[in-house]
Amino acid sequence: MISCGFHMLRFLERGIRGKALTNVHDLNRLRHFLFLEYGTALGSNVHASPLYEALKCAVPDAVTMVACSRMAFEVLQNNPFIDYLVETRRPTENTGAAIRCLRGHLKDTGFVPEVIITSKGNEQRSIALLSLFLGKATRMGYTGAPEFYDVLLQPDREESLIDNNLRVVERLGYPSIAVEPRVSFSLEDLQKARGLLDRASWNDATPRVVFITQTSPTQRKSWPRGRFVSVINHTLNVHGARAIFVGTASESENIESIRADVQGESINLAGQTTIPHLAALLSLCDYAVSLDTGNMHIARSVGLPMVILAPAWQPAIEWLPLGFDQYRIFKGADIPHATPNYVMDEIGVDEVIAALDDLFERYPSSQQSRGERVARGMAHVSTQSRRRLPQ
């Protein structure tokens, strides 16, 4: 019944709008791009960022607007490749409010989208419905409501989430380039991150290792607590490093249970950073040991060398940074789905320690490396082009 209603709405809309531009020659002439970014996973928001950079590299005079949820706003608020950024209610929560907010923003800015794009992670029908009320633009991308779209992309499960997103650039008629995720931060974010580290009164020459030991309770990606403790103690005792724990406020108690057995200096910053703060903080560190979770994607976005512990039930190609020397990934043999009591027992302490030791040797900690990460991550954008909903 819903699908039938969608088809009727689409039929009426096409009658009013007329034929959309769909061939490469026509798409190649368009310059105003509106992206709808409402993914619920932090990783999907981070993995959408290469799309904006690749498009700007291919079309330097492109004007881009991104409408998004609060989480995506934090990820993208300092992105230098986005001209306008606006937060709305999630269409899945209140489609009408999202439509009103975004239409108002389009009117205020005078921005007229020629193409409306949804990347992977935005396949919900409510997002497609939102796109229907935003003018006569060509609608393209990944969707669960193909009847609303003019240019439909089908996901390739043999490609990463990033590569699937970059196919948007190719479908527009441009060669795509290999681009890594980017979570940029402001000078204010950097100063906040430095302030958090200053509390520990550590020597700047001391190696800083971030440990991301917690993940969403709905995701079966845990590693035994004692194994984390063994890796941390080795890192602190053998390399003279300091440990930094990050996560959400709700994860702090579990982090403290690990810290209780840590034999060396550590700080727990869980719940004390926004997403841009965390990106800046990670840029100021030297290494990470992380579960395959949202904060790992932020560490990747700043190029932090790290050891990643990934679950056997999730395809490696989808989320993980394969083919990079600065990332060491441990994952068991593929299994079709997570078992009820799944824990990553297949990953041993010794192999993780060996991988981290090798990163220490190949990528020595230095002020220069931190400075290079900071330089890549820091961006200056106009706050006038960013509109956020009231808290």
Side-chain angles (χ1 to χ4, degrees):
M1 182 67 71
I2 294 176
S3 180
C4 183
F6 274 25
H7 278 293
M8 182 174 293
L9 184 60
R10 174 61 167 144
F11 177 79
L12 292 172
E13 188 269 346
R14 278 187 173 176
I16 296 171
R17 184 184 67 162
K19 187 177 180 181
L21 302 177
T22 59
N23 67 61
V24 171
H25 177 73
D26 288 331
L27 292 173
N28 212 241
R29 294 187 285 108
L30 305 181
R31 290 296 182 270
H32 287 190
F33 302 90
L34 171 60
F35 296 87
L36 305 180
E37 184 56 57
Y38 295 95
T40 56
L42 176 56
S44 68
N45 294 312
V46 174
H47 283 214
S49 63
L51 174 54
Y52 314 125
E53 183 170 351
L55 179 60
K56 278 286 192 175
C57 289
V59 193
D61 60 339
V63 182
T64 58
M65 177 185 287
V66 179
C68 61
S69 62
R70 179 150 294 181
M71 179 192 295
F73 191 99
E74 281 203 21
V75 171
L76 301 172
Q77 65 183 0
N78 298 300
N79 191 299
F81 304 101
I82 296 172
D83 297 294
Y84 298 96
L85 184 69
V86 56
E87 179 192 345
T88 77
R89 293 285 299 276
R90 288 186 187 275
T92 51
E93 297 172 352
N94 191 325
T95 306
I99 292 171
R100 290 190 295 273
C101 180
L102 188 47
R103 283 174 64 92
H105 191 68
L106 292 172
K107 181 179 179 181
D108 290 345
T109 59
F111 182 87
V112 179
E114 296 174 305
V115 187
I116 300 173
I117 299 169
T118 49
S119 59
K120 279 287 294 167
N122 293 280
E123 291 89 346
Q124 296 90 342
R125 287 192 162 200
S126 58
I127 297 176
L129 188 61
L130 169 63
S131 73
L132 201 63
F133 290 87
L134 301 177
K136 298 181 178 182
T138 295
R139 292 181 288 274
M140 70 177 293
Y142 299 95
T143 182
E147 58 270 30
F148 285 176
Y149 276 51
D150 307 298
V151 180
L152 185 64
L153 297 179
Q154 297 292 347
D156 185 341
R157 298 188 183 279
E158 299 301 315
E159 291 188 348
S160 68
L161 183 62
I162 293 173
D163 286 340
N164 270 289
N165 283 335
L166 292 177
R167 290 174 60 206
V168 169
V169 178
E170 296 171 359
R171 184 59 181 83
L172 288 168
Y174 305 100
S176 67
I177 57 174
V179 182
E180 274 292 275
R182 185 191 297 261
V183 178
S184 299
F185 46 86
S186 66
L187 178 59
E188 182 182 354
D189 297 321
L190 182 63
Q191 291 170 339
K192 170 70 181 294
R194 284 177 172 152
L196 291 172
L197 291 173
D198 286 345
R199 295 180 192 174
S201 300
W202 292 338
N203 187 309
D204 283 346
T206 302
R208 302 166 181 170
V209 185
V210 176
F211 290 91
I212 302 171
T213 62
Q214 311 299 312
T215 188
S216 166
T218 62
Q219 295 284 332
R220 296 193 177 101
K221 297 180 179 179
S222 63
W223 201 45
R225 172 188 171 281
R227 298 187 191 185
F228 266 121
V229 170
S230 296
V231 172
I232 296 166
N233 285 338
H234 170 88
T235 306
L236 273 55
N237 294 330
V238 172
H239 296 287
R242 302 293 183 263
I244 300 166
F245 293 87
V246 297
T248 63
S250 63
E251 295 166 349
S252 187
E253 184 177 350
N254 288 332
I255 288 172
E256 285 301 313
S257 75
I258 293 175
R259 284 188 73 214
D261 290 330
V262 169
Q263 301 165 358
E265 294 187 44
S266 68
I267 53 173
N268 177 6
L269 300 179
Q272 299 182 48
T273 57
T274 64
I275 291 172
H277 292 158
L278 181 57
L281 176 75
L282 294 169
S283 296
L284 295 170
C285 296
D286 304 298
Y287 313 95
V289 177
S290 178
L291 299 176
D292 173 18
T293 189
N295 287 337
M296 180 274 288
H297 300 300
I298 299 177
R300 175 184 179 178
S301 79
V302 301
L304 186 64
M306 70 180 143
V307 178
I308 301 168
L309 314 178
W313 53 265
Q314 195 166 51
I317 189 65
E318 185 175 11
W319 294 100
L320 298 175
L322 304 177
F324 295 88
D325 183 68
Q326 72 269 33
Y327 307 126
R328 306 303 166 81
I329 300 169
F330 291 97
K331 180 181 180 296
D334 290 347
I335 57 176
H337 53 79
T339 55
N341 299 312
Y342 176 77
V343 176
M344 293 185 287
D345 282 324
E346 64 271 19
I347 303 173
V349 169
D350 290 345
E351 56 188 337
V352 172
I353 286 175
L356 187 55
D357 287 348
D358 191 50
L359 288 179
F360 268 87
E361 182 176 349
R362 287 177 177 267
Y363 301 92
S365 62
S366 68
Q367 288 291 84
Q368 179 180 343
S369 295
R370 295 173 189 170
E372 290 171 354
R373 284 191 287 274
V374 167
R376 180 182 184 273
M378 186 131 66
H380 303 278
V381 297
S382 170
T383 56
Q384 293 181 347
S385 66
R386 271 63 174 143
R387 178 177 294 182
R388 186 163 194 172
L389 287 175
Q391 296 285 345

